[in-house]
């Protein structure tokens, strides 16, 4: 029998424990408030606000972190037209970089890279939503996967407290990784190079000089390097000096390019007219409006009249009446016309988009068939698999046919002007304008139609691409559209004259300077891309050698056993 239970003393300890047993560890100090911000036991309730920690979204939550990655990836879109906050590009990646740097694992960094890439693709292409509807989300998510490895690369380069040496490595590999992503998504089958980060600098003269050295790729490298340096300077105390030095080097590089690289010397001038009919329903009324505007140019001494994309809706081989009308307009104006035919051809099967040169006697025989088509807008990739996109958006009901090679057209005359035509989003591809310049084109012409996206950022963004192509190639570029924005840029990428906005229906004449000198980009090509690939290959090689030299872990030693039990158990 147990004896009578007397009053418990402090030495007895809590119920269920003998006085000789050790005291359990204490999980809270009565003198400190609990970690969750609540009042300690016995303290009066505080009427003040809740702890700020409860009001802040916690990045260790996968849902909050995913939302932050989507938003951070979308931020660079503000640097492009229509907002055109070009200066924002040099800091827009910092929130995304900070998020990737703080990722607890490589897998989480890859996920944040994917989500950020999805946000970037959605923001830059948001004006496609009326045409593709929910399918644009699917496309953005697929393209966003290209940024998953970049997310892991950023974490590798910036995590923790990198030494000055590793910070220098970060300044090299993070921009190179971004550039490889831009290169991959520039493939036509993945949508083309729309929204390259360097293209946001289309109105910055030093950046245009840099583009003449290494194309838009070199501008992208510098912009991402500036963001990486700013991230180091702001968030990594151990590498702050390296980050500040990186910012200074980026600024000095831009300034040196502006002062060192001279614009192409002017070799003459031509008068180019752009005819923009405006919003007109139907191909026949559009043709009539373009014809009427062109007749107003009679007596103005123009050398070439440029119409926009799809300005002629019937094949001229099958419509002799339209060909005759165009020839009559050319005779009246005293200059050839460059029109764009979007129709089923009479001499071969299929629908083509073609730049056709018209002289006084009608078509001269010079014709360029568009080579790179807009995915879903002009053809459906893997139609047997993705053909359902036509039922949820405005995807092409029939695939258009492709041209086979670029064409340089020589205008009639004793000293013929050589013109290199591009159609629609072909002006986004640096290699196409470079090829035309190497083939002898003196003037680049892009014929476009953005009427489907009239009240969005697309017209301004599309027109801005001509500035980059002009600066890269050292050739003036005319961007002529049906409904705006139409614009002309000189050999240095600077705008010539005013623009024709989306609310205008007019014909405008531009005094366009010409140049013959080849820029370094025309001569050397995409060397900045090759440099990025070499840097990343060197990084992989160094890490591979380091992994091989790392000593292998020793063999696992089984736990020793004793007569009284295993080493992991207390003997009895």
């Amino acid at each position: 029998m147990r004896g009578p239970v007397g009053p418990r003393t402090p030495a007895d300890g809590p119920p269920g424990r003998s006085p000789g047993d050790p005291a359990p560890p204490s999980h809270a100090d009565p003198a400190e408030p609990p970690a969750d911000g609540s009042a300690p036991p016995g303290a009066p309730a505080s009427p003040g606000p809740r702890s700020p920690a409860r009001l802040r979204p916690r990045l260790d939550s996968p849902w909050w972190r995913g939302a932050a990655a989507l938003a951070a990836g979308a931020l660079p879109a503000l640097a492009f037209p229509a907002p055109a906050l070009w200066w924002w590009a040099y800091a827009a990646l910092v929130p995304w970089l900070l998020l990737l740097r703080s990722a607890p694992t490589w897998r989480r960094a890859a996920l944040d890279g994917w989500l950020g890439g999805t946000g970037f693709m959605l923001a830059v292409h948001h004006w496609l939503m009326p045409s593709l509807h929910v399918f644009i989300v699917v496309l953005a998510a697929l393209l966003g996967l290209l940024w998953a490895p970049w997310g892991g690369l950023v974490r590798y380069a910036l995590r923790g407290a990198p030494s000055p040496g590793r910070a220098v490595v970060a300044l090299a590999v993070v921009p190179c990784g971004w550039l490889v992503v831009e290169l991959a998504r520039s493939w036509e089958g993945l949508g083309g190079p729309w929204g390259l980060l360097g293209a946001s600098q289309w109105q910055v003269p030093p950046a245009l000089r840099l583009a003449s050295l290494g194309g838009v790729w070199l501008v992208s490298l510098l912009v991402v390097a500036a963001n990486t340096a700013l991230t180091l300077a702001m968030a990594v105390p151990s590498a702050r000096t390296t980050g500040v030095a990186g910012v200074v080097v980026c600024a000095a590089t831009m300034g040196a390019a502006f002062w060192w690289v001279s614009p192409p010397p002017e070799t003459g001038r031509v008068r180019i007219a752009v005819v923009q009919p405006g919003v007109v329903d139907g191909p026949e009324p559009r043709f009539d409006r373009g014809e009427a505007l062109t007749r107003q140019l009679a007596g103005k001494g123009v050398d070439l009249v440029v119409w926009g994309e799809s300005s002629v809706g019937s094949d001229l081989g099958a419509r002799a009446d339209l060909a005759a009308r165009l020839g009559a307009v050319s005779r009246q104006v005293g200059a050839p016309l460059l029109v764009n035919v979007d129709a089923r051809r009479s001499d071969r099967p299929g629908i083509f988009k073609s730049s056709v040169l018209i002289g006084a006697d009608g078509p001269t025989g010079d014709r360029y068939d568009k080579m790179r088509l807009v995915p879903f807008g002009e053809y459906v990739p893997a139609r047997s698999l993705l053909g359902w996109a036509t039922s949820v958006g405005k995807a092409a009901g029939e695939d258009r046919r492709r041209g086979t090679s670029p064409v340089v057209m020589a205008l009639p005359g004793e000293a013929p002007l050589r013109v290199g035509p591009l159609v629609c989003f072909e002006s986004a591809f640096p290699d196409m304008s470079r090829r035309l310049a190497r083939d002898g084109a003196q003037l680049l012409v892009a014929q476009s139609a953005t009427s489907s996206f009239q009240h969005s950022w697309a017209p301004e963004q599309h027109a801005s691409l001509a500035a980059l192509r002009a600066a890269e190639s050292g050739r003036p570029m005319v961007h002529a559209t049906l409904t705006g924005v139409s614009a002309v840029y000189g050999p240095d990428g600077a705008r010539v004259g005013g623009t024709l906005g989306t609310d205008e229906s007019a014909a405008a004449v531009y005094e366009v300077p010409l140049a013959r000198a080849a820029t370094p980009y025309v001569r050397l090509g995409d060397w900045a891309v090759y440099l990025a690939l070499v840097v990343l290959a060197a990084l992989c090689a160094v890490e591979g050698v380091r992994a091989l030299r790392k000593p292998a872990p020793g063999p696992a030693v089984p736990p020793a056993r004793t007569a009284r039990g295993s080493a992991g158990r207390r003997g009895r």
Side-chain angles (χ1 to χ4, degrees):
M1 291 182 57
R2 297 178 59 187
V5 178
R8 183 174 297 275
T9 64
D12 294 332
R17 181 172 61 88
S18 300
D21 291 342
S26 175
H27 297 285
D29 186 348
E32 296 180 359
D36 62 357
S38 59
S46 172
R50 297 175 66 189
S51 169
R54 287 190 174 187
L55 302 178
R56 289 195 307 266
R58 299 185 60 182
L59 292 182
D60 55 355
S61 164
W63 296 106
W64 278 112
R65 191 178 185 91
L70 278 168
L75 289 177
L78 296 175
F80 295 91
L85 305 177
W86 63 266
W87 47 268
W88 173 239
Y90 296 92
L93 294 179
V94 171
W96 194 4
L97 292 172
L98 291 174
L99 189 69
L100 295 171
R101 175 179 177 268
S102 67
T105 64
W106 188 94
R107 183 175 298 180
R108 182 68 231 190
L111 178 60
D112 290 341
W114 171 46
L115 292 174
T118 301
F120 179 70
M121 287 286 98
L122 281 174
V124 173
H125 298 87
H126 72 277
W127 41 269
L128 285 172
M129 290 182 183
S131 298
L132 297 180
H133 301 295
V134 69
F135 198 67
I136 184 61
V137 179
V138 178
L139 291 176
L142 291 175
L143 291 172
L145 287 171
L146 295 172
W147 275 272
W150 183 74
L153 179 66
V154 171
R155 179 181 180 272
Y156 158 83
L158 297 179
R159 73 183 187 276
S163 64
R166 191 153 68 91
V168 172
V169 172
L171 288 174
V173 301
V174 172
C176 289
W178 178 278
L179 196 62
V180 170
V181 174
E182 290 198 335
L183 175 67
R185 74 178 185 89
S186 295
W187 179 47
E188 177 196 352
L190 294 180
W194 191 282
L196 300 182
L197 195 57
S200 66
Q201 305 303 295
W202 64 278
Q203 56 184 328
V204 183
L208 293 174
R209 301 282 178 87
L210 206 64
S212 72
L213 287 174
V216 67
W217 315 109
L218 186 58
V219 183
S220 287
L221 270 179
L222 187 75
V223 171
V224 181
N227 277 272
T228 308
L230 191 59
T231 302
L232 290 169
M234 290 174 54
V236 187
S238 62
R240 186 157 294 158
T241 301
T242 305
V244 172
V247 172
V248 173
V249 169
C250 289
T253 301
M254 190 78 78
F258 181 73
W259 291 109
W260 177 56
V261 181
S262 300
E266 183 178 325
T267 59
R269 286 181 174 262
V270 291
R271 289 173 62 82
I272 307 297
V274 173
V275 172
Q276 180 178 298
V279 180
V280 181
D281 292 331
E284 293 291 342
R286 183 186 304 129
F287 184 96
D288 295 341
R289 181 59 179 162
E291 181 183 20
L293 289 172
T294 305
R295 291 186 183 279
Q296 298 175 9
L297 298 170
K300 294 190 176 180
V302 298
D303 298 293
L304 175 67
V305 180
V306 183
W307 288 19
E309 180 188 10
S310 305
S311 49
V312 179
S314 301
D315 182 68
L316 296 178
R319 292 289 304 272
D321 57 327
L322 297 182
R325 288 169 63 180
L326 290 171
V329 173
S330 176
R331 289 193 301 273
Q332 181 179 353
V333 175
L337 280 60
L338 185 65
V339 301
N340 189 271
V341 179
D342 183 4
R344 192 177 302 276
R345 290 183 62 164
S346 57
D347 58 342
R348 64 179 63 180
I351 302 174
F352 288 80
K353 281 192 177 181
S354 306
S355 301
V356 177
L357 188 64
I358 307 294
D361 299 324
T364 65
D366 288 316
R367 179 187 189 113
Y368 165 67
D369 297 323
K370 185 179 183 182
M371 298 170 60
R372 297 183 181 175
L373 304 178
V374 180
F376 298 98
E378 294 169 338
Y379 79 103
V380 176
R383 183 176 287 272
S384 60
L385 179 64
L386 302 176
W388 58 270
T390 59
S391 62
V392 298
K394 299 178 182 178
E398 178 181 352
D399 292 348
R400 282 167 170 75
R401 302 297 181 90
R402 302 173 185 271
T404 56
S405 61
V407 174
V408 176
M409 303 176 180
L411 303 188
E414 295 181 0
L417 178 68
R418 296 174 61 83
V419 177
L422 298 168
V423 182
C424 191
F425 95 138
E426 288 182 331
S427 64
F429 292 87
D431 66 299
M432 297 197 73
S433 54
R434 175 176 176 260
R435 168 71 182 273
L436 290 171
R438 290 175 64 90
D439 288 347
Q442 299 168 271
L443 174 70
L444 304 177
V445 174
Q447 297 172 299
S448 175
T450 52
S451 52
S452 300
F453 316 105
Q454 191 72 358
H455 303 292
S456 71
W457 294 0
E460 288 84 358
Q461 191 171 350
H462 198 178
S464 70
L465 296 175
L468 269 298
R469 304 293 86 83
E472 290 169 342
S473 62
R475 300 293 181 266
M477 188 162 190
V478 176
H479 181 78
T481 70
L482 292 179
T483 59
V485 171
S486 297
V488 178
Y489 299 90
D492 58 351
R495 182 180 289 159
V496 175
T499 61
L500 295 177
T502 55
D503 57 345
E504 295 185 70
S505 174
V509 179
Y510 297 86
E511 290 278 350
V512 182
L514 299 177
R516 294 183 180 274
T519 64
Y521 177 68
V522 169
R523 295 195 305 268
L524 303 176
D526 301 325
W527 62 267
V529 174
Y530 304 139
L531 176 64
L533 292 173
V534 169
V535 168
L536 293 179
L539 174 67
C540 292
V542 169
E543 288 300 317
V545 171
R546 184 176 299 172
L548 291 175
R549 290 182 175 178
K550 185 177 181 180
V557 179
R561 294 184 175 274
T562 65
R564 299 184 62 86
S566 68
R569 294 173 52 192
R570 298 177 60 184
R572 287 199 269 176

